[in-house]
Amino acid sequence: MPALPDLTVLDPVGPATRWREVERRLLEDGWTPCGAGDWAFALASPDGGTVARISPFDPMGPWTARLYTEAATTGRVPRLHLHRRLAGGADLQVMERLDPVPEAEAAAFLAGFRERHPALAEVVDRVHAEAREQLPWCGPLDTNPSNVMRSAGGDLVMIDPYYADGPALYAAAAQEPDRFVRTLPPEARQHLTEIPLDCSGPWPQEERDALAARVRQEDRARPAEELIAEAAAADVSGWGFTWLEGRATEERPPWRYSRLLAEAVGAAGVAVDLDTGGGEVLGESPRLAREQHVTESWAPNAALARERLGPRGVTVHEIAPGAPIPLPDASADLVTARHPLTPDFEEIARVLAAGGEYLAQHVGPTSAFELIEAVHGPTTAEQRRGRHPEDEAARAREAGLEVVELRTARLRMTFHDIGAVVWILRKCPWWVPGFSVDTHRAPLLEVDRIIRRDGAFVAHSTRHLIRARRP
């Protein structure tokens, strides 16, 4: 049996990863384009023995991957090395490289596979029946001869026998958007209009944009109670924000923290990332420190961080809020944090070795206060002064650190439906302490009224970048 391919470049990839990020990682690792269809495109590994199939929107991806896994012992499906569901309904499958076969040979295989390969047929039919029961627009089995290929071992294998009825699905999105948005959840179709469509296209960009805008508009037009209930039931674990795709926007600071973080940890010997969440931000770094640690106080996030970062050799410390950093004195040359809850500069200074650096992006004062005040009521002068960059820089200096850089930014936030508001308030519970959709229903409905009147609720976030060094 051939050796398994080296897929460490995909270790950080998970349900919060965007498909374009996967494509970028593979291209930078030497993978090359080797084909495209209507729903997906493919990249070949540097040695040519492995192919990554990336689909921006593929409702059938998990079912196909399940077939490959459950029918693996038959030898009549491709060897699936990795399957990951990506953000917004995108799909990644990494499998062995296959070769085409003559059409007549492929057609004969399909015509007789039930009699000659009953174990394969049993899995194909069982998985397909479940898919058709659970998934709208799941079509019949695809008996196109191009769905039979030859494996590296010379066997004929079946690929992609399941498909979504694209014409019906996209017709529903265009002609019955009200029904469509209630049938397919927003988080499963964020990249609806980004499929390649190389065989059936072209699909002009202006038409793609118009369809996406119509679906978004219909999403936002649903009754407030429906949007609130949907957001109240949505997952808020981890530190990814893909659920807000198309529902809210926030400007990004000009310094591009994720790039600065990647450069810093890639050059570090011993590093610790504080309040890492589910490891989403750190996990985007292509290279981590030689000895990488992270801390997280919320158990669900810590579990996600272990899942995402553990395979890369990262030590995940699940600690109580405000607990000391679990590293010895002067043991780290880098401490990082993105939006730490309460930065403890004395602890940061304690674990940094001489010449070590603290690199962080902090939430600044009055961040999102327009929304907070609309839901929670007026804030005090003391609250509005909290997290001020000059105050934090002063505390860093008092702890013995030299502040070498301090940059600030005020950024526009827009919320296009009340569901986005509910979701962010659940995600960031310190914004409105004690928030629930029941106790705050009246102000939520008022915010909903403003959104429907003005098209969006506008707030502003503040951020500051701080670099400090241990002399």
Side-chain angles (χ1 to χ4, degrees):
M1 182 177 289
L4 293 175
D6 180 8
L7 300 178
T8 53
V9 67
L10 296 175
D11 283 347
V13 171
T17 310
R18 313 236 175 183
W19 70 264
R20 292 187 186 278
E21 172 64 16
V22 176
E23 179 186 29
R24 182 190 67 78
R25 284 181 175 278
L26 292 175
L27 291 173
E28 290 179 354
D29 197 50
W31 294 56
T32 54
C34 64
D38 278 346
W39 292 86
F41 61 94
L43 301 174
S45 61
D47 65 3
T50 306
V51 170
R53 176 190 182 275
I54 302 174
S55 176
F57 167 64
D58 186 3
M60 300 307 305
W63 301 95
T64 304
R66 181 176 158 191
L67 168 66
Y68 294 163
T69 300
E70 296 186 15
T73 57
T74 69
R76 295 298 175 175
V77 291
R79 292 183 68 204
L80 181 67
H81 301 305
L82 180 148
H83 172 246
R84 299 277 170 82
R85 202 65 175 153
L86 306 175
D91 195 80
L92 167 67
Q93 297 173 19
V94 183
M95 65 188 73
E96 64 176 320
R97 179 73 178 258
L98 304 171
D99 294 316
V101 299
E103 183 175 340
E105 187 179 0
F109 175 88
L110 289 172
F113 86 94
R114 296 184 185 283
E115 293 75 27
R116 289 192 292 270
H117 306 289
L120 171 64
E122 187 277 327
V123 181
V124 168
D125 291 341
R126 173 167 48 80
V127 174
H128 185 231
E130 293 182 29
R132 298 205 76 173
E133 182 179 338
Q134 298 181 32
L135 189 69
W137 302 293
C138 177
L141 287 178
D142 188 351
T143 56
N144 190 322
S146 64
N147 286 356
V148 176
M149 302 191 77
R150 195 178 308 279
S151 70
D155 295 321
L156 296 185
V157 296
M158 180 183 289
I159 68 166
D160 292 334
Y162 313 139
Y163 69 96
D165 185 346
L169 187 154
Y170 283 92
Q175 300 167 15
E176 301 178 275
D178 55 338
R179 181 175 71 88
F180 178 79
V181 299
R182 288 169 171 78
T183 305
L184 202 59
E187 63 271 17
R189 53 173 163 79
Q190 289 174 358
H191 307 295
L192 176 71
T193 58
E194 297 172 30
I195 60 174
L197 215 62
D198 273 27
C199 300
S200 304
W203 188 5
Q205 189 61 48
E206 59 271 19
E207 293 182 12
R208 294 176 185 249
D209 294 343
L211 178 60
R214 186 169 185 181
V215 170
R216 284 196 301 269
Q217 182 179 6
E218 198 62 45
D219 260 329
R220 298 165 186 168
R222 288 179 290 160
E225 293 295 348
E226 183 177 326
L227 295 167
I228 290 171
E230 177 184 75
D235 181 23
V236 293
S237 60
W239 207 235
F241 290 83
T242 55
W243 196 87
L244 294 178
E245 183 79 26
R247 310 181 77 151
T249 62
E250 181 181 2
E251 290 181 293
R252 293 291 174 238
W255 48 76
R256 295 180 59 193
Y257 176 75
S258 58
R259 176 179 58 82
L260 299 176
L261 175 66
E263 292 172 354
V265 296
V270 179
V272 56
D273 189 54
L274 307 179
D275 295 336
T276 198
E280 293 87 352
V281 180
L282 180 65
E284 294 298 325
S285 300
R287 213 175 83 190
L288 301 178
R290 175 178 50 80
E291 182 183 324
Q292 181 72 59
H293 299 259
V294 300
T295 70
E296 175 55 38
S297 60
W298 194 39
N301 279 354
L304 290 172
R306 281 190 289 269
E307 179 182 340
R308 178 175 284 108
L309 302 175
R312 301 181 70 182
V314 176
T315 301
V316 178
H317 302 275
E318 186 175 342
I319 63 174
I325 300 172
L327 292 180
D329 295 356
S331 61
D333 50 300
L334 178 67
V335 177
T336 60
R338 181 182 178 274
H339 305 175
L341 297 179
T342 308
D344 187 335
F345 288 106
E346 291 187 356
E347 270 296 289
I348 293 166
R350 178 186 66 79
V351 301
L352 280 175
E357 182 177 87
Y358 176 60
L359 169 66
Q361 178 176 292
H362 290 189
V363 176
T366 70
S367 197
F369 268 35
E370 298 97 332
L371 178 60
I372 292 170
E373 292 184 335
V375 176
H376 188 57
T379 54
T380 66
E382 182 180 5
Q383 289 172 320
R384 300 181 74 84
R385 178 72 189 189
R387 296 183 167 185
H388 196 283
E390 294 296 344
D391 296 344
E392 293 191 345
R395 287 198 293 272
R397 296 185 185 99
E398 290 169 2
L401 298 174
E402 176 191 359
V403 177
V404 297
E405 184 177 6
L406 186 65
R407 300 177 64 185
T408 63
R410 186 171 187 265
L411 310 161
R412 181 183 172 92
M413 309 169 74
T414 57
F415 298 90
H416 295 289
D417 70 63
I418 194 61
V421 171
V422 169
W423 191 88
I424 197 67
L425 292 177
R426 294 179 59 229
K427 184 80 165 180
C428 305
W430 56 91
W431 285 17
V432 177
F435 170 79
S436 78
V437 296
D438 294 324
T439 58
H440 293 81
R441 189 165 299 272
L444 287 175
L445 293 177
E446 175 59 19
V447 172
D448 176 74
R449 187 190 67 79
I450 293 171
I451 292 173
R452 293 177 190 272
R453 182 194 67 195
D454 300 341
F457 187 94
V458 178
H460 295 84
S461 64
T462 58
R463 301 286 183 262
H464 51 273
L465 178 75
I466 182 168
R467 286 184 189 265
R469 186 171 295 124
R470 176 74 183 271

